[in-house]
Amino acid sequence: MSETIETDVVIVGAGPVGLFAVFELGLLDVRCHLIDILDKPGGQCAELYPEKPIYDIPAFPIITGQGLTDNLLAQIKPFDPTFHLGEMVVSIERQEDGRFKVATDNDKVFHTKVIVIAAGGGSFQPKRPPVPAIEDFEGRSVFYSVRKMEAFRDHDILIVGGGDSALDWTLNLQPIARSVTLMHRRDAFRAAPDSVNKMRALHDAGKLKLIFGQVTGLEGADGQIETVLIMDNEDETHRVKATRLLPFFGLTMKLGPIADWGLNLHENLIKVDTEKFATSEPGIFSIGDINWYPGKLKLILSGFHEAALMAQAASRIVFPDKKVLFQYTTSSTSLQKKLGVA
């Protein structure tokens, strides 16, 4: 038997933008349930880089992905949202009364007036390098993300890539590793110039190695690598000692079932307006990295802005006969009571 849940809003995606949407909707007395395929809130921040510093969140000169998630969870605690983790939305149907019927792969059915899609880039998975038998080492000595830096302490680490993730983890792991080697195809990087300059300074000081080439093979046993085979740009093979391999070749983003929901798309992203971030289907909104509009910037802070405007429009659907008054949390005693600070 399916479990049926009544709510005002279903938020698909419990990353930072989905979490902040709970706050903005909560200020307007809108009840939320969140569904996420991951087993914990926080989206990519918590799953892929919980200990990686983020520098462009307003009022936080530096904060980690997990730190941001923890703060957002504390911020929305007064509104008591319900999380349904490790689940995926498999279907959405419009009902005769105008509400939506949302079903998950865990036999849950939601009846809701509004759906907010905040699923980041959809489902995502790291791109696997074309290295023979690399899957034999994955999760034991080959990793596509760093969830706990301590797991890499005193290891010989080979990091492969030329983007921000590769450079950021080169800089962050270098102080605790036995050794760090950064490898890229060529002596040109896509990462932030400041990160590249810091990496080169460490290389010049003899604190890390920088090599150019491609991984062609792994040597080791029982899931533990001992040596990585490298082909340099002169087609010569070398062996690099490594006990941990971190390939950063980017992520493959897929909308998954969202692509079948009948929404207007733009290059595999959900097209929205910029007044309320509504999709082509009335009552369905999309915020964060999964949406598109002219001038879109894929930044967490942009998603926060989108969540605020979406909430105003969504509340009018949830409470069609209620006048929505815009209030400031700094001066409204009613909002402060909702937050438990008055």
Side-chain angles (χ1 to χ4, degrees):
M1 292 291 292
S2 298
E3 177 185 357
T4 301
I5 299 168
E6 304 281 338
T7 186
D8 296 329
V9 173
V10 165
I11 300 175
V12 182
V17 174
L19 295 178
F20 190 68
V22 173
F23 180 81
E24 290 295 325
L25 290 163
L27 292 176
L28 299 169
D29 298 320
V30 178
R31 297 171 301 148
C32 298
H33 282 247
L34 299 95
I35 303 170
D36 200 299
I37 196 170
L38 298 178
D39 60 1
K40 58 183 176 294
Q44 293 186 39
C45 279
E47 180 71 7
L48 295 182
Y49 45 92
E51 296 188 2
K52 180 179 176 180
I54 304 173
Y55 300 99
D56 60 356
I57 302 299
F60 288 96
I62 179 173
I63 189 169
T64 64
Q66 189 61 55
L68 177 62
T69 299
D70 292 343
N71 284 354
L72 286 165
L73 288 171
Q75 189 176 33
I76 66 176
K77 188 175 181 180
F79 304 118
D80 195 25
T82 303
F83 291 88
H84 305 269
L85 302 173
E87 297 187 40
M88 181 174 65
V89 174
V90 293
S91 67
I92 291 176
E93 299 176 19
R94 176 82 72 172
Q95 304 298 289
E96 291 185 2
D97 63 2
R99 295 188 300 168
F100 296 97
K101 177 182 177 182
V102 179
T104 76
D105 59 356
N106 197 31
D107 276 341
K108 289 179 184 174
V109 173
F110 299 81
H111 290 163
T112 181
K113 295 179 180 179
V114 170
I115 297 171
V116 178
I117 304 172
S123 62
F124 55 91
Q125 58 187 23
K127 294 179 181 177
R128 175 184 285 166
V131 178
I134 191 173
E135 60 273 13
D136 295 341
F137 299 90
E138 291 174 344
R140 301 185 67 178
S141 56
V142 174
F143 301 91
Y144 299 102
S145 64
V146 178
R147 297 180 183 177
K148 291 186 178 181
M149 289 177 60
E150 277 301 310
F152 294 83
R153 180 177 292 276
D154 297 328
H155 279 280
D156 295 305
I157 305 172
L158 174 62
I159 297 174
V160 185
D164 285 317
S165 293
L167 270 292
D168 287 348
W169 285 120
T170 296
L171 298 176
N172 285 309
L173 291 174
Q174 185 275 329
I176 68 171
R178 181 186 299 123
S179 69
V180 171
T181 301
L182 174 65
M183 186 181 72
H184 190 37
R185 298 187 311 275
R186 60 188 185 280
D187 193 9
F189 297 89
R190 305 181 308 279
D194 181 62
S195 298
V196 176
N197 291 337
K198 289 178 179 177
M199 177 274 294
R200 292 192 187 280
L202 288 171
H203 173 254
D204 292 342
K207 295 182 178 180
L208 64 82
K209 298 177 183 177
L210 174 62
I211 60 177
F212 306 104
Q214 300 181 61
V215 177
T216 58
L218 304 176
E219 295 178 336
D222 300 323
Q224 176 57 55
I225 59 173
E226 298 175 358
T227 308
V228 179
L229 302 181
I230 304 295
M231 180 176 289
D232 66 20
N233 294 336
E234 277 71 47
D235 294 333
E236 294 186 7
T237 298
H238 305 270
R239 282 176 166 80
V240 175
K241 180 182 178 182
T243 57
R244 293 290 184 268
L245 173 65
L246 285 166
F248 291 112
F249 288 8
L251 299 172
T252 299
M253 301 292 185
K254 296 180 180 179
L255 282 183
I258 295 174
D260 301 323
W261 293 351
L263 305 174
N264 285 350
L265 301 179
H266 174 88
E267 296 181 352
N268 216 33
L269 296 172
I270 300 172
K271 188 176 181 180
V272 295
D273 64 36
T274 53
E275 177 188 358
K276 49 189 181 293
F277 300 95
T279 70
S280 57
E281 182 67 33
I284 301 182
F285 300 83
S286 181
I287 57 178
D289 285 359
I290 200 166
N291 75 12
W292 178 87
Y293 50 86
K296 168 73 178 186
L297 290 177
K298 289 190 175 185
L299 295 172
I300 295 173
L301 63 90
S302 298
F304 290 165
H305 158 76
E306 296 163 13
L309 293 188
M310 173 280 299
Q312 297 291 314
S315 68
R316 293 182 173 90
I317 297 175
V318 174
F319 305 116
D321 300 322
K322 181 179 177 180
K323 185 176 181 180
V324 179
L325 297 175
F326 179 73
Q327 303 177 77
Y328 295 102
T329 56
T330 53
S331 57
S332 169
T333 54
S334 64
L335 293 184
Q336 290 170 6
K337 287 179 180 178
K338 293 175 186 177
L339 296 172
V341 294

